[in-house]
Amino acid sequence: MGRLEGVMRGLLVTAALAMVCVTAGAQKLKSPWDGQTVTLTDAGYKCPDPPPFAKSMDAESYYTDANHSIIDEAKREAFRKATEAPTHLGQWAGQAADAYRTTGSRAAAEAKAWTATMPTGQATYEQKWLLAGTSMAYLKVRTSGAGTPEQDKAIQNWLGTLADRIKDYVEDKRKNPNSDAWNNHLYWAGLAVAASGVARNDERDFKWGVGAYKIGVGEIQASGVLMREMARAGKALHYHLYALAPLIMIAELGEANGMDLYGENHGAIHRLVTISEAGLKDPGIFKKATGVEQDVSDSISGSDIGWAVPYVKRFPDAQLSKWIAEAKTTAFWQWGGLPPG
């Protein structure tokens, strides 16, 4: 049995989502949830039974055009089935962590987690979203006191292994300036590795994630757009919002550690917020720029607006606050459930 397989099987049996027994003196890197008091209660929480364990998965993209903007519904359904297990892990980890933070439920803090390994390509995308979601969920509950030092070590080893795989993938793809190592996938990889770095007190990985953030905000044009996301045709607005989310979450991790990432590149991220907000209000702006009708839903989802929760705490914005209040949820599993706020 390999080291990674051993860690993962150990997680199946013993690991808990809230496993942190790190002493206060040993903690250096901080999260937005550190220092927030949670009053423990006996509120119930039932973790769903996970899908069958698998070491890897066979997942392919469901877009059919060169711009990755047109969806083949049959392929998307096949993708959903192929990624059901890791997606559910990310969702359940965030739900359990949020239940602990909002209700103080001891049961939620001890909910057991399931995981799978992923290879490369489309499966690697799922891998980084899995790491981002579970790492952020872990940060929410790491001061709960649940679990043993051995369990905590197993969780952190697993996070570190996934972080190494993601970094290897991105750094290899960086050789190609037109690859997915330079668009929103880089920003999500940055969030995954940065959050994992904070969870493991690994300053090198935290800085790697911050580096991805700096590349991202360096791509923001004077108009606020990201040219690589504008190339997504009818999905341009969607992918501006999708790229903005991990950048905001990395900025929040930076703030928790004394870094003014919101000010990076002359505050470029604020321009991205402004154009994204304008697009939400009037998708015609993006239609005019791309020449294509934007594929947008009638209601604003958590993935569309959740990033605004921490943003408006620092930079008040009446329109964003209105959308936050109107949204059914601000949670999204890829950033660990409810956003910091």
Side-chain angles (χ1 to χ4, degrees), residues 219-227 230 240 271-272 275 286 289:
E219 293 281 329
I220 299 172
Q221 304 298 300
S223 63
V225 304
L226 290 162
M227 295 308 297
M230 288 299 286
H240 272 73
R271 299 198 298 273
L272 179 55
I275 193 65
F286 280 78

Side-chain angles (χ1 to χ4, degrees), residues 8-314:
M8 292 191 175
R9 289 190 178 180
L11 287 173
L12 281 171
V13 179
T14 64
L17 295 176
M19 297 171 188
V20 175
C21 292
V22 182
T23 62
Q27 290 184 6
K28 295 180 181 179
L29 292 174
K30 299 178 181 179
S31 86
W33 296 278
D34 290 348
Q36 296 180 3
T37 301
V38 175
T39 302
L40 294 179
T41 72
D42 292 321
Y45 184 83
K46 178 176 175 55
C47 187
D49 293 331
F53 172 76
K55 288 184 63 177
S56 63
M57 66 176 175
D58 182 16
E60 297 182 359
S61 173
Y62 47 77
Y63 290 112
T64 61
D65 63 320
N67 294 322
H68 295 274
S69 64
I70 300 174
I71 295 173
D72 181 303
E73 289 300 334
K75 288 186 176 181
R76 179 155 68 175
E77 183 58 29
F79 174 83
R80 285 172 177 160
K81 290 180 179 179
T83 61
E84 178 184 31
T87 298
H88 282 193
L89 171 60
Q91 291 171 335
W92 295 338
Q95 289 168 5
D98 287 335
Y100 167 73
R101 294 211 61 87
T102 58
T103 69
S105 171
R106 294 181 178 87
E110 296 168 0
K112 292 183 178 180
W114 177 94
T115 188
T117 61
M118 271 68 68
T120 58
Q122 184 67 36
T124 304
Y125 298 164
E126 193 71 27
Q127 186 179 53
K128 73 170 177 293
W129 295 322
L130 170 66
L131 180 60
T134 54
S135 292
M136 293 288 274
Y138 178 90
L139 292 177
K140 294 179 179 182
V141 296
R142 69 174 179 170
T143 58
S144 67
T148 67
E150 291 76 18
Q151 291 171 334
D152 189 57
K153 184 177 180 180
I155 284 284
Q156 294 195 16
N157 285 344
W158 174 68
L159 296 177
T161 300
L162 290 182
D164 286 343
R165 289 188 175 189
I166 291 165
K167 288 185 297 181
D168 287 345
Y169 177 85
V170 170
E171 288 166 5
D172 181 64
K173 286 297 194 78
R174 278 179 176 168
K175 300 170 186 176
N176 178 358
N178 297 315
S179 74
D180 54 11
W182 298 100
N183 62 8
N184 72 82
H185 286 294
L186 172 63
Y187 319 151
W188 280 102
L191 174 60
V193 175
S196 172
V198 174
R200 295 177 291 110
N201 198 34
D202 187 320
E203 190 170 352
R204 182 184 62 178
D205 276 3
F206 175 64
K207 288 183 176 179
W208 191 96
V210 170
Y213 173 90
K214 290 182 178 181
I215 292 173
V217 296
E219 293 281 329
I220 299 172
Q221 304 298 300
S223 63
V225 304
L226 290 162
M227 295 308 297
R228 297 174 193 272
E229 309 310 327
M230 288 299 286
R232 300 301 289 268
K235 286 284 188 179
L237 173 56
H238 166 80
Y239 277 105
H240 272 73
L241 293 166
Y242 192 64
L244 178 58
L247 293 175
I248 292 289
M249 299 304 167
I250 297 172
E252 286 297 307
L253 292 176
E255 289 286 338
N257 289 281
M259 301 178 67
D260 177 23
L261 295 184
Y262 283 109
E264 186 71 24
N265 189 23
H266 308 289
I269 196 167
H270 300 299
R271 299 198 298 273
L272 179 55
V273 169
T274 298
I275 193 65
S276 297
E277 180 179 342
L280 273 174
K281 194 170 185 178
D282 178 15
I285 294 173
F286 280 78
K287 177 184 177 181
K288 182 178 180 180
T290 63
V292 183
E293 191 80 32
Q294 293 301 292
D295 182 5
V296 294
S297 61
D298 294 332
S299 59
I300 296 177
S301 67
S303 60
D304 292 329
I305 202 63
W307 56 267
V309 173
Y311 185 82
V312 298
K313 293 280 187 179
R314 301 184 187 280

